[in-house]
Amino acid sequence: MEDLELRRKAVAELGRELRSLMETVARTETPTEDLQELAGEVQRLEARFTGRRRERSEIPGVDVFPFGLRMYSPATGHGSAFAPPLEIEETEDGLVGRCALGVAHEGPPGYAHGGMSAMLLDELMGWACAAKGLPAMTIALDVRYQRPVPVEMPLLLRARVTGIEGRKITVSGSVVPEDDPQTILVAAEGRFVAPDLDRARSLFPGAKGYQN
Ligand SMILES: CCCCCCCC(=O)SCCNC(=O)CCNC(=O)[C@H](O)C(C)(C)COP(=O)(O)OP(=O)(O)OC[C@H]1O[C@@H](n2cnc3c(N)ncnc32)[C@H](O)[C@@H]1OP(=O)(O)O
């Protein structure tokens, strides 16, 4: 069997190059004729991905689901061109995530798109549920944008479970500058539900962890 760690490393290396490419595309005033030529080159590059395409709900071989690694997650995945990626660490007071966003994640010029903050918080808050042994899905997310989030600034995200009632979990979260953690840029309150076993089996037929 192929070495899984070697494959994960390769997925992450490709992800890093793709992220760098996305940032360069968004950042560079490339001459129009070069853009046209580059589109053709990227199309030829894509044609080299000749491996089997996974079914819609099939879990990537490099992943661990529901409690672990999601290498193509748009929030945490090192294999994703879109992910910052968010690095998560468990602390005594919940989870902490670290990342910096790029120009490719911009909403207003110089600032992150609000959807990026919401997505990163949603993911981290979901991980906070999983850290309590309850892998859960968001049913409501209230996001308050208190100040714009500058791109290219090291950020600290926090998520803390504030209540558990059966399968229902409430979580609070925030985004702050890493070098000024008292200044809250974005605050969020979320409600999550851990699907029951039957629901989880039908939602995620490819997840071995939920099967008999
Ligand atoms: C570790 C990985 C981190 C990644 C995290 C990323 C977070 C995400 O992006 S998740 C994606 C976005 N969320 C979704 O798509 C979820 C869509 N919703 C659903 O599929 C279902 O509501 C689901 C699966 C969460 C719950 O379904 P199910 O297990 O059947 O719950 P069910 O038995 O009906 O309800 C349980 C309780 O939750 C409540 N509830 C369930 N769904 C909702 C809802 N959408 N709104 C309000 N309340 C709800 C019910 O009222 C019930 O409450 P009570 O026990 O008091 O009667």
Side-chain angles (χ1 to χ4, degrees):
M1 198 174 113
E2 193 184 8
D3 183 330
L4 198 52
E5 284 316 308
L6 193 68
R7 185 166 174 79
R8 285 179 179 147
K9 201 162 162 257
V11 168
E13 273 169 21
L14 180 60
R16 191 181 59 229
E17 295 310 322
L18 291 173
R19 277 192 294 284
S20 168
L21 182 64
M22 267 181 50
E23 195 61 14
T24 299
V25 169
R27 196 65 187 253
T28 315
E29 295 295 325
T30 306
T32 307
E33 59 276 20
D34 290 353
L35 288 176
Q36 289 162 340
E37 203 178 302
L38 284 162
E41 277 189 42
V42 172
Q43 200 176 42
R44 281 189 287 283
L45 192 64
E46 193 185 348
R48 292 189 53 198
F49 288 77
T50 53
R52 183 180 69 81
R53 277 185 108 84
R54 290 194 313 275
E55 298 297 323
R56 186 184 67 86
S57 61
E58 195 179 331
I59 293 161
V62 286
D63 279 8
V64 180
F65 183 83
F67 280 107
L69 198 62
R70 298 282 286 146
M71 285 216 72
Y72 299 106
S73 154
T76 55
H78 279 258
S80 165
F82 190 68
L86 186 67
E87 301 284 357
I88 300 179
E89 187 190 323
E90 201 165 346
T91 73
E92 274 179 13
D93 195 29
L95 297 188
V96 165
R98 285 188 173 78
C99 70
L101 295 171
V103 170
H105 303 124
E106 245 180 25
Y111 299 99
H113 195 290
M116 286 302 301
S117 307
M119 178 184 70
L120 294 172
L121 281 168
D122 186 22
E123 174 96 5
L124 188 67
M125 291 159 84
W127 276 101
C129 298
K132 296 276 183 199
L134 290 166
M137 294 173 82
T138 325
I139 57 163
L141 188 64
D142 176 23
V143 183
R144 278 149 293 144
Y145 297 96
Q146 295 179 193
R147 297 186 186 190
V149 176
V151 296
E152 299 178 342
M153 171 192 268
L155 300 169
L156 206 62
L157 287 86
R158 296 198 187 99
R160 192 168 64 85
V161 169
T162 53
I164 300 176
E165 199 186 305
R167 292 192 283 122
K168 293 193 282 189
I169 307 139
T170 49
V171 188
S172 66
S174 61
V175 181
V176 300
E178 191 165 14
D179 65 359
D180 180 16
Q182 301 311 317
T183 300
I184 295 184
L185 306 174
V186 186
E189 299 294 332
R191 288 192 293 138
F192 291 74
V193 171
D196 68 17
L197 199 57
D198 284 345
R199 179 59 75 97
R201 280 177 181 153
S202 74
L203 284 174
F204 312 116
K208 291 193 187 79
Y210 286 124
Q211 308 309 322
N212 289 320

